[in-house]
Amino acid sequence: MDTSEILISREEIDEMVKRVASEINRDYAGEELVVIPILTGAFIFASDLIRELKMPVNIDFMQVSSYVGENSTGVLKIKKDITVDIKGQHVLIVEDIVDTGRTLKLLKELLGKKEPKSLKICTAFDKPDRRLTDLVPDYNGIVVPDKFIVGYGLDYNGHFRNYKDIRIVR
Ligand code: IMP
Ligand code: MG
């Protein structure tokens, strides 16, 4: 396994976090926000992001995975659910990377049923070449090519989440 090729530096990630946070600060000024990072990958991005946010935030985690079942576009498996009541709340889902978009498409449908005041998606990285759904993130960090990447929370079989930069797996 070779992870020596750096695709995105720590400095570029820092800039991205500040830019995305300023967009969120602009859009939710004076509001309260429920932030839902998706475990496990989003925990590092979310911890950097929320410390740049200026509005009152309430954090609650979810852990989900999606798989393609028979005769369906996808099934969402909830491993850990939120505990806060999001009805009437502004909600921001924070994800590490959007690939096919299946997970977030299903999650958005599910959380939408709980009647939040608004429901948006923020992702650190976006791999649009592999999209199989019409999902478009509302806040998008950095667009990446169709390569398997690790670091900054992203893993390969559970490894490499602790890299400070983003690297390509070969
Ligand atoms: P999808 O958008 O439903 O296909 O799934 C997105 C999930 O797949 C992400 O939350 C990651 O856990 C995982 N994933 C997709 N691409 C990568 C990658 O390049 N590196 C690490 N994990 C990835
Ligand atoms: Mg994930």
Side-chain angles (χ1 to χ4, degrees), residues 95-97 99-103 127 147-149 154-155:
E95 180 59 298
D96 51 359
I97 185 166
D99 188 29
T100 65
R102 276 202 191 101
T103 311
K127 220 191 261 183
K147 302 242 163 76
F148 202 86
I149 57 172
L154 291 155
D155 74 305

Side-chain angles (χ1 to χ4, degrees), residues 107-154:
L107 183 61
K108 215 179 161 183
E109 281 167 17
L110 185 85
L111 291 180
K113 289 184 188 144
K114 299 185 188 230
E115 298 175 42
K117 193 189 264 180
S118 70
L119 179 58
K120 287 196 189 178
I121 290 172
C122 172
T123 188
F125 306 103
D126 186 9
K127 220 191 261 183
D129 291 349
R130 287 190 23 105
R131 200 75 94 251
L132 295 173
T133 62
D134 58 4
L135 187 105
V136 181
D138 300 280
Y139 303 97
N140 196 346
I142 298 174
V143 173
V144 294
D146 183 8
K147 302 242 163 76
F148 202 86
I149 57 172
V150 292
Y152 199 62
L154 291 155

Side-chain angles (χ1 to χ4, degrees), residues 12-13 22-23 26 31 47 55 57 74 85 97 100 105 107 120 126 138 159-161:
E12 289 171 276
I13 293 171
S22 71
E23 292 172 16
R26 175 199 64 202
E31 308 277 1
S47 70
M55 75 292 290
V57 294
D85 182 7
I97 185 166
T100 65
K105 171 112 184 157
L107 183 61
K120 287 196 189 178
D126 186 9
D138 300 280
H159 293 107
F160 314 121
R161 292 192 198 276

Side-chain angles (χ1 to χ4, degrees), residues 17 35-38 41-53 59 61 94-96 124 152:
V17 171
V35 177
I36 305 181
I38 307 305
F43 82 111
I44 293 181
F45 174 49
S47 70
D48 283 344
L49 184 72
I50 59 166
R51 284 176 290 174
E52 300 293 333
L53 297 182
I59 318 286
F61 293 92
V94 176
E95 180 59 298
D96 51 359
Y152 199 62

Side-chain angles (χ1 to χ4, degrees), residues 22-41:
S22 71
E23 292 172 16
I24 296 169
N25 282 327
R26 175 199 64 202
D27 292 352
Y28 295 93
E31 308 277 1
E32 201 177 307
L33 186 61
V34 178
V35 177
I36 305 181
I38 307 305
L39 294 171
T40 299

